[in-house]
Amino acid sequence: MPFNSDTYYANKYSRAAWDYLAQAREIKRRIAAGEKLPHAIAAQVESFAKLARSCMHLSISRRRVAAMGKRK
């Protein structure tokens, strides 16, 4: 079976998206628990969420490209 880079990168970006989302959720959980965090860390929640969305969009795009390649 030949290597399909589209599905490889789709899976890679999907895993990265879920990792970024987990990091954002962990920071939000710590804030909700009343833990005092430096402002720089607390501000990363929005950045992690944006990174997660971007990675998931890339994953979906790669899956569409892979599906188009199978139609040939």
Side-chain angles (χ1 to χ4, degrees), residues 5 8-9 11 15 17 21 24 30 36 40 43 46 48 57 64-65 67 70 72:
S5 67
Y8 169 80
Y9 285 108
N11 292 332
R15 282 190 304 273
L21 196 57
R30 290 171 62 187
K36 295 285 185 183
E46 186 177 336
F48 284 139
H57 285 296
R64 287 180 182 158
V65 169
K70 290 181 182 178
K72 292 181 181 179

Side-chain angles (χ1 to χ4, degrees), residues 31-67:
I31 291 170
E35 190 174 327
K36 295 285 185 183
L37 298 174
H39 178 70
I41 293 175
Q44 287 181 340
V45 173
E46 186 177 336
S47 295
F48 284 139
K50 284 182 182 180
L51 285 169
R53 280 193 299 272
S54 295
C55 285
M56 195 52 77
H57 285 296
L58 286 170
S59 175
I60 291 168
S61 296
R62 286 288 187 158
R63 290 189 196 285
R64 287 180 182 158
V65 169

